[in-house]
Amino acid sequence: MAAARDFGFDVASIIDIAKTKSLKDELNKFLENKYHGDMEWLENRKEYRSDPKKLWAEAKSILILGSNYHFDTNSLDLLDKKDVGIISVYARGRDYHLSIKKKLKAFSRWILDNYHCQIKYFVDTAPVMEKPLAMQAGIGWQGKHTNIVSKEYGSWLFLSSIFLDIKLEPNFESKNHCGSCNQCIDICPTNAIIAPYKIDANKCISYLTIEHKSHIPKEYRKQIGNRIYGCDDCLAICPWNKYAKKTNDIDFAPREELIEPTLRSFLTLKESDFREKFSGSSIKRVGRDRFIRNVLIAVGNSNNKNLIKDIVPLLKDNSELVRAMAVWALKEISSSNDFERQKNIYYKNEIDSHVKNEWIRSDNQIRVTN
């Protein structure tokens, strides 16, 4: 629909909901293998997620919308800058949920006035598997990294949808253009793409730094490097990005202070500071404790001994997530003598078993349990 562009969407395409494919078997296998980690919302209402026809019985068409967020920034360029924290490019601007929801509301009013129908619109607010639907609608195809790839916009599209209770002329499904390319699989630091078009979220750095609510397993900490919120590697390496156009949406423009932020700039953030700094940002949703947990892992990978003085105050933080990763970071960048000195101060008063294990753990030691 050409009208979609008038409301700020870059691409729009239509599906006949009666012809949508059931994803029940694929989704059930994914969940049975526990590839979703602790993202319980993927399991909740899975019968609706696997078949959009069940989400709204009156729906006859689905309008899939794509919003380009490419802004000529690339996380891969920052991997060697160990004192800099990498924030996924989608999270450097305004929270896309807020921006796209505003567009959806305005566009939906126009549809209601011109098509006299009933609608429901969604942007990550309902059990809609938008990537398979986007492929069926012709927006793009699901790459081997499982994300949508577009000939016009590369890997940089936000997806949203509008369900309508009227029939509209559907578009054709996209063909897959990945060919023999495996660059997204090869670049993944944790081998989370376990096979073409299959991902184990438990290993994915985006999942670990955003969705995972607990302590990040030790086996992934080194691979995380200096990525403190999300990971763009599999998206950024895609050859189709050479055709990507720069977005005109200023809401997706990266905030200057989030393009190459120093790790030190985050280490002193208290709860109120965090909320203020990330107001209107998608980063706010992880909360201060999980965010500082991520930053401390990057600090531990930085080899920067100048950050030790910034770590020490966090050894007595109120959050066990923060304390545990402060211990790990300290162990990684300090000398054995300095580490033991801090251990003698803090270990005796520690009550959390996870934090205690970080103080004493080595490959041959037994974990402390409460």
Side-chain angles (χ1 to χ4, degrees), residues 341-366:
R341 189 178 302 116
Q342 297 299 335
K343 179 181 176 182
N344 289 336
I345 297 171
Y346 292 101
Y347 179 79
K348 60 188 176 185
N349 294 319
E350 183 57 62
I351 60 173
D352 183 83
S353 63
H354 291 283
V355 184
K356 285 184 175 182
N357 279 316
E358 293 296 337
W359 279 116
I360 68 171
R361 187 167 58 182
S362 70
D363 291 340
N364 298 318
Q365 287 176 317
I366 299 173

Side-chain angles (χ1 to χ4, degrees), residues 330-331 334-344 359:
L330 181 69
K331 193 171 189 177
S334 67
S335 68
S336 297
N337 287 340
D338 287 342
F339 181 81
E340 288 300 321
R341 189 178 302 116
Q342 297 299 335
K343 179 181 176 182
N344 289 336
W359 279 116

Side-chain angles (χ1 to χ4, degrees), residues 1-13 64-70 100 103 107 139 150 152-153 156-160 245-249 252:
M1 293 177 69
R5 292 187 179 273
D6 296 333
F7 291 90
F9 296 99
D10 294 283
V11 58
S13 205
I64 302 294
L65 301 154
S67 301
N68 174 28
Y69 66 94
H70 178 55
I100 294 177
K103 295 178 188 177
F107 188 26
I139 297 286
S150 161
E152 292 79 24
Y153 302 103
W156 314 113
L157 283 176
F158 291 130
L159 299 174
S160 54
K245 304 175 180 67
K246 186 177 177 179
T247 183
N248 294 316
D249 193 327
F252 302 147

